[in-house]
Amino acid sequence: MPETTPAEDLDLLIAAARTAGTIAQQHFRANPEIWQKGDESPVTEADIAIDRVLRTDLLAARPGYGWLSEETEDDAERLDDDRVFILDPIDGTRAFIDGQDSYAHALAVAEHGRVIAGVVYLPEKDKLYAAARDLGATLNGQPIRASAQRSEAGAQLLATKPTMKEAHWPGGIPPVKRVYRPSLAYRMALVAEGHFDGMATFRPTWEWDIAAGAILIEESGGIVTDGHGRDLRFNRRHPQADGVLTASPGLHAALLGRRRTA
C-alpha cells in the first residue's frame, strides 16, 4: 500500500498541473501542429508534450503508481496497481486549437477504484480547482461548495443539446435552463464551485475526462454518478463510464427520477 497521503498526492498534482499550464501556454494561439487520431478527434503537439513531461515527472515521484492518460497507449499493467494516475493533458483540445481560454488540465489519483486526489487547472483563466479525499475542495486555495438548489425549476444544467433530447428522459425533459461550456472537466468543476447547479452527459465518457471532476464534486457536497445513478469506479479495464449525472443532492434525485421509467 502506498505510504503517501491523499494530501501529498494532491500537492504533487497541483505542481504537475502548473507545469502543464506552462507548456500549454507556450503553444496557445501559436499555430501548434495538429493531428487527427483514429477516432477523428484532434491532438496537438502541446497535448503530446504535456503528456510526456508529466508522465516522466509523476512516475519518477511515485514509481509504484500506474498510468492512464488520453495521450498514452494503454497498458493493462495499471490494473494491478493500488494507485493510478488518471489524466487528460488538455481537456478541451478543440477549444485550445480555436484559441478559446476554457481548455483545462485534468489530473487525478485513484486508489482501488475511487479518486483520492484531483486537480482541474485552467491556466488562461488562472483557476485551479483542487480536492483530496475528506479534505474538501478549493478554487485557488479557497473552499468551494456545490449548489444547494433542490428544485428543477430555475436550475441551470450544463449539457449539450443532444443530452436534452426526449429519448434520454423517459420521465419528461426537466424544466431546467441548459447552458454549455467546453471541457467536461471544467463543467464538473463549475458544478463543484456552485456556479451551476448540475451537469449531464449520457454518452460513454472516458475516465480521464471525469476523474478529477468527480472528487471535486464529492468533496464540495454534490452528488456524482454515471448516467443511470450508479457509483463511478475508476481504473477499469475499459476506462469508460456510462455517462455522468451530477448535481446538488436534491436536484440529482429529481433529475435521476426523470431518467427512469415508471
Side-chain angles (χ1 to χ4, degrees):
M1 178 65 64
E3 295 181 356
T4 53
T5 66
E8 290 170 327
D9 279 348
L10 181 59
D11 287 342
L12 181 66
L13 294 181
I14 289 172
R18 294 197 181 280
T19 296
T22 297
I23 297 171
Q25 289 180 313
Q26 293 169 356
H27 298 275
F28 185 57
R29 296 175 180 168
N31 297 315
E33 189 168 358
I34 304 168
W35 302 272
Q36 297 296 319
K37 295 191 285 190
D39 61 0
E40 298 187 355
S41 63
V43 61
T44 74
E45 58 183 315
D47 297 80
I48 302 302
I50 293 168
D51 184 77
R52 182 174 60 250
V53 170
L54 295 196
R55 187 180 188 199
T56 298
D57 291 353
L58 291 174
L59 292 182
R62 302 285 191 270
Y65 287 25
W67 182 262
L68 176 63
S69 167
E70 181 176 11
E71 309 305 345
T72 302
E73 184 176 356
D74 196 10
D75 186 343
E77 288 187 6
R78 65 179 170 78
L79 300 171
D80 298 322
D81 294 311
D82 291 332
R83 287 188 183 175
V84 179
F85 290 111
I86 303 175
L87 72 155
D88 190 344
I90 297 179
D91 186 41
T93 297
R94 287 186 175 88
F96 179 83
I97 293 169
D98 291 342
Q100 300 178 36
D101 64 3
S102 53
Y103 71 88
H105 309 295
L107 299 79
V109 172
E111 180 179 60
H112 301 303
R114 295 189 68 204
V115 181
I116 61 169
V119 171
V120 174
Y121 180 42
L122 289 86
E124 305 301 331
K125 293 181 178 292
D126 190 27
K127 300 179 78 170
L128 193 147
Y129 299 87
R133 182 66 58 196
D134 299 325
L135 295 177
T138 61
L139 168 57
N140 293 344
Q142 298 302 308
I144 55 176
R145 294 293 297 174
S147 165
Q149 178 81 17
R150 298 185 60 85
S151 171
E152 294 171 299
Q156 296 189 84
L157 186 70
L158 285 156
T160 62
K161 289 182 179 179
T163 297
M164 302 309 294
K165 288 184 176 180
E166 187 175 356
H168 293 303
W169 305 95
I173 298 173
V176 298
K177 179 182 178 182
R178 186 191 72 84
V179 287
Y180 180 75
R181 296 290 185 276
S183 169
L184 187 52
Y186 183 34
R187 283 177 250 165
M188 296 179 76
L190 287 167
V191 174
E193 184 185 354
H195 194 78
F196 294 104
D197 302 305
M199 189 280 294
T201 180
F202 302 130
R203 299 176 59 184
T205 307
W206 293 107
E207 290 185 11
W208 47 72
D209 289 327
I210 61 174
I215 191 167
L216 286 172
I217 291 167
E218 290 174 356
E219 288 296 315
S220 67
I223 302 294
V224 59
T225 65
D226 76 4
H228 299 279
R230 298 174 295 228
D231 289 342
L232 292 172
R233 302 293 293 180
F234 294 90
N235 194 34
R236 294 174 299 174
R237 184 172 296 277
H238 181 64
Q240 278 190 321
D242 191 5
V244 176
L245 180 63
T246 180
S248 54
L251 181 59
H252 185 278
L255 295 172
L256 186 60
R258 290 181 179 270
R259 289 279 292 153
R260 294 171 172 166
T261 56

